[in-house]
Amino acid sequence: MPASLTELMEQAAAGPGHPAIISGGDGREMPLSFVLQLSRRTARDLRRHGVRPGDRVGLIMDNDTGFFRALFAAMYAGGVAVPLPVPQAMGMQGFLAHLSRVTADSGMRHIVVSRRVLRLLRRQRGAATTLPAILLDEDELPGTGPELADPAGSAALIQYTSGSTSSPKGVVLTHRNVMAGLDAIARASAATAADILGLWLPLFHDMGLISALSCLATGGKVVLWRPADFVRRPREWLAEFAGRKCTASAGPNFFFDYLIEAAGDTPDGLDLSLWRLAFNGSEPVSASTVERFCDLFSGHGFRRGAMAPVYGMAEATLAVTFPPLEREPVIAWVDRQSLRSASRAVVTGPGVPDAWPLVGVGRPVPGMRVRVAGDGGAEGVVNEIEITGASVTGGYHGRQDAGLFTADGWLRTGDIGFFRRGELYIAGRSKDAIVIRGVNYFAEDAEAIVRDLPGVYRGHCAAVAAESAAGERIAIVAEASDDDHDARRSLAAVIRSEVSRNLGLLDVAVHLMPPRSLPRTSSGKIQRAKVRALLLAGQPAPERREQGRA
């Protein structure tokens, strides 16, 4: 058993496979063994710059081989890597504010940056004065030499959750956590050295980083694109993904929505038959997205069994539950009222009034145990999901959070769900539940009603709690495709009507915003907390409606 992540990577590099990182743009391929060689050279540079064992080292790098070189170098030097968003992922002001908060929370003393990122920072007055920026020179020749530190049993990463705002939380992952997480993914996905992971997710995000490390650890290859390459040209990205014979991908639900939107321009010769695993996670999985994607791309060789809705979190080194391999997605239609008031899922069927489709996210991966609080093993009980296993974090950096673990040591995830026939279903987040007259309404439920309505830009919407004269009510904030006044007024009326009809609520506030204006995390998730803060601050203004009308 390897003692550290770097030792695991060295074993993979020397194994029967040919692990490598490939640039999605120009196709340049760098073997993992070469990356590790560069990392050992860079580790000596880090030590010369003052990095000592246990020091937190920030990484501000693009999606390329340089990120891995810096990551492994920090570990070779005995440091703890802290992946950080690049400036363009958050906007410069948002990035600087986030960097300041993370620096204060982590006690970080060094950051490693690429030449391009350093240029961006130097354009901002005072941006690079608080921390010494160590330049990673992409043109440096490889060196040789022994490892500079033995990080066995120590922290490997501090993964700041993408939803962090004014009070970021850094998930501390030891080498043992990371290796257990990689092993769980490899076993649950039956990964081999023949796999090629096509990845556009940012490497500073846990789904991007851990997915890539898992593929390399099994001897496979990772094709890397920058996030903007996919977002700007999803059709071209899909063609290149297929052309490079990628067998696996990982992305949130909106990744599949983007591809659906671009499907009308998909070339007839597109062959997706090699795509054996399309992991769909990191945000709520939409039943309509799953069905539409499978239907649209089945004509290009995509198999329904390749769609893999999953559940995971940074605190678990990513993977918590995976569906069985090659099994088609499972959808359960659940009575909404039973989830709200009885805390028990009552399964109905499609077309039944007040039924909500939830996508099954599989069963616990190897080494992981999952339970629903207070269920006593009973199926259908709806409550907070709790987990335990070798890949689960011991806590957040610098925090003694007494409420994070149960009395018997299980981590409280904050997610609400239930088991049915051994399959886990996620109903929503406890912190995003909207309580109206003592009844819980899940934000994900309301958003599922709105996201596929014509006129909602790319399904972008958020459901949050809002104040009214009668108490708390639900507010829907959605991006409108059309800026015409009459079209917006009509869309607001449709949204209000659909949410009222499906949830049985008369008092529904609707707010429309321009495309791409909802606040998002650096990984693309809509930030409900910031949306609610905007409402409390009086922005945006709601669409006008007649008095007394729902």
Side-chain angles (χ1 to χ4, degrees):
M1 178 71 179
S4 66
L5 179 60
T6 46
E7 187 175 321
L8 175 66
M9 290 295 145
E10 288 173 353
Q11 289 184 9
H18 301 281
I21 301 163
I22 301 171
S23 170
D26 55 22
R28 286 185 299 174
E29 181 172 328
M30 184 176 289
L32 177 61
S33 58
F34 189 70
V35 175
L36 293 170
Q37 191 177 7
L38 287 170
S39 295
R40 286 190 289 270
R41 170 71 172 269
T42 303
R44 290 200 296 273
D45 291 339
L46 295 184
R47 292 296 293 268
R48 284 198 294 269
H49 279 88
V51 175
R52 296 293 177 261
D55 281 358
R56 273 73 69 193
V57 180
L59 310 179
I60 309 177
M61 308 291 296
D62 289 308
N63 267 34
D64 55 31
T65 55
F67 181 98
F68 292 99
R69 176 181 166 188
L71 176 78
F72 299 137
M75 295 177 184
Y76 277 132
V80 183
V82 185
L84 295 167
V86 293
Q88 60 266 44
M90 308 178 74
M92 183 55 75
Q93 295 309 310
F95 164 79
L96 293 176
H98 182 73
L99 177 61
S100 176
R101 291 191 292 263
V102 169
T103 299
D105 185 79
S106 66
M108 196 166 58
R109 296 175 52 242
H110 309 274
I111 55 173
V112 180
V113 300
S114 66
R115 196 174 295 278
R116 190 190 67 82
V117 170
L118 185 61
R119 283 198 299 267
L120 290 174
L121 291 177
R122 283 176 172 169
R123 292 174 189 167
Q124 304 298 313
R125 182 173 297 177
T129 58
T130 57
L131 287 175
I134 302 172
L135 177 65
L136 181 69
D137 189 346
E138 294 89 343
D139 298 326
E140 186 179 3
L141 294 175
T144 59
E147 295 187 17
L148 300 175
D150 179 9
S154 63
L157 295 166
I158 299 180
Q159 188 76 50
Y160 278 88
T161 53
S162 59
S164 297
T165 53
S166 59
S167 182
K169 290 183 178 181
V171 180
V172 179
L173 298 174
T174 66
H175 287 267
R176 186 174 296 108
N177 290 148
V178 177
M179 289 189 291
L182 302 186
D183 179 66
I185 294 171
R187 292 166 61 190
S189 63
T192 72
D195 276 311
I196 302 174
L197 175 69
L199 193 69
W200 61 269
L201 280 173
L203 290 170
F204 59 76
H205 186 259
D206 61 301
M207 193 177 199
L209 175 58
I210 302 302
S211 296
L213 291 176
S214 178
C215 183
L216 292 172
T218 55
K221 296 183 179 181
V222 178
V223 183
L224 279 180
W225 289 269
R226 294 184 182 183
D229 295 338
F230 166 73
V231 173
R232 293 171 183 166
R233 298 178 296 276
R235 182 181 65 83
E236 290 85 348
W237 179 90
L238 184 60
E240 190 171 348
F241 174 90
R244 295 199 180 277
K245 302 186 184 304
C246 294
T247 63
S249 69
N253 194 80
F254 75 77
F255 160 61
F256 299 93
D257 283 333
Y258 269 62
L259 293 177
I260 290 170
E261 186 175 326
D265 297 325
T266 302
D268 292 335
L270 182 69
D271 182 4
L272 301 178
S273 60
L274 295 178
W275 198 353
R276 74 177 190 90
L277 280 171
F279 291 117
N280 185 343
S282 182
E283 67 178 9
V285 181
S286 165
S288 65
T289 296
V290 167
E291 290 295 322
R292 290 167 60 204
F293 187 90
C294 291
D295 289 344
L296 279 170
F297 290 103
S298 62
H300 296 279
F302 184 83
R303 302 181 308 281
R304 296 182 70 88
M307 174 62 72
V310 295
Y311 171 57
M313 57 196 309
E315 289 83 349
T317 319
L318 191 61
V320 176
T321 61
F322 275 16
L325 291 173
E326 293 298 327
R327 191 200 66 185
E328 295 187 7
V330 173
I331 297 173
W333 291 81
V334 184
D335 177 70
R336 285 188 171 96
Q337 188 61 32
S338 70
L339 293 179
R340 296 181 204 133
S341 56
S343 295
R344 180 174 291 274
V346 175
V347 178
T348 58
V352 176
D354 215 25
W356 177 21
L358 293 178
V359 181
V361 291
R363 304 183 179 202
V365 297
M368 182 69 66
R369 297 169 65 196
V370 182
R371 72 186 184 189
V372 172
D375 69 354
E379 290 204 339
V381 173
V382 181
N383 210 330
E384 185 174 18
I385 298 165
E386 298 169 348
I387 63 175
T388 187
S391 64
V392 176
T393 180
Y396 299 114
H397 176 74
R399 295 171 184 258
Q400 298 295 325
D401 191 342
L404 182 60
F405 294 93
T406 64
D408 56 350
W410 290 58
L411 183 135
R412 293 187 171 104
T413 67
D415 292 311
I416 304 299
F418 62 91
F419 278 101
R420 179 175 184 263
R421 297 176 179 173
E423 185 97 3
L424 183 65
Y425 293 82
I426 312 296
R429 290 282 293 170
S430 57
K431 69 177 182 178
D432 293 325
I434 303 165
V435 183
I436 301 175
R437 294 185 294 277
V439 178
N440 287 327
Y441 294 86
F442 294 108
E444 290 85 354
D445 187 5
E447 290 163 3
I449 296 167
V450 174
R451 65 188 308 275
D452 290 328
L453 294 176
V456 177
Y457 179 76
R458 288 184 169 173
H460 296 174
C461 62
V464 297
E467 301 297 327
S468 71
E472 194 166 81
R473 65 175 175 176
I474 193 168
I476 304 295
V477 183
E479 294 179 0
S481 301
D482 198 327
D483 62 359
D484 177 76
H485 174 74
D486 290 339
R488 287 169 59 90
R489 185 171 182 175
S490 175
L491 175 60
V494 170
I495 291 174
R496 189 175 300 113
S497 174
E498 287 298 305
V499 174
S500 297
R501 181 176 65 84
N502 283 279
L503 300 186
L505 295 172
L506 292 178
D507 194 7
V508 177
V510 178
H511 307 256
L512 298 182
M513 300 178 71
R516 298 178 293 277
S517 58
L518 279 170
R520 291 177 172 271
T521 68
S522 57
S523 59
K525 299 177 187 175
I526 291 175
Q527 295 177 296
R528 296 192 187 98
K530 285 192 174 182
V531 171
R532 190 165 190 269
L534 286 174
L535 293 183
L536 292 174
Q539 296 178 332
E543 294 295 308
R544 291 188 178 182
R545 60 173 177 168
E546 297 178 27
Q547 292 294 326
R549 296 290 299 276

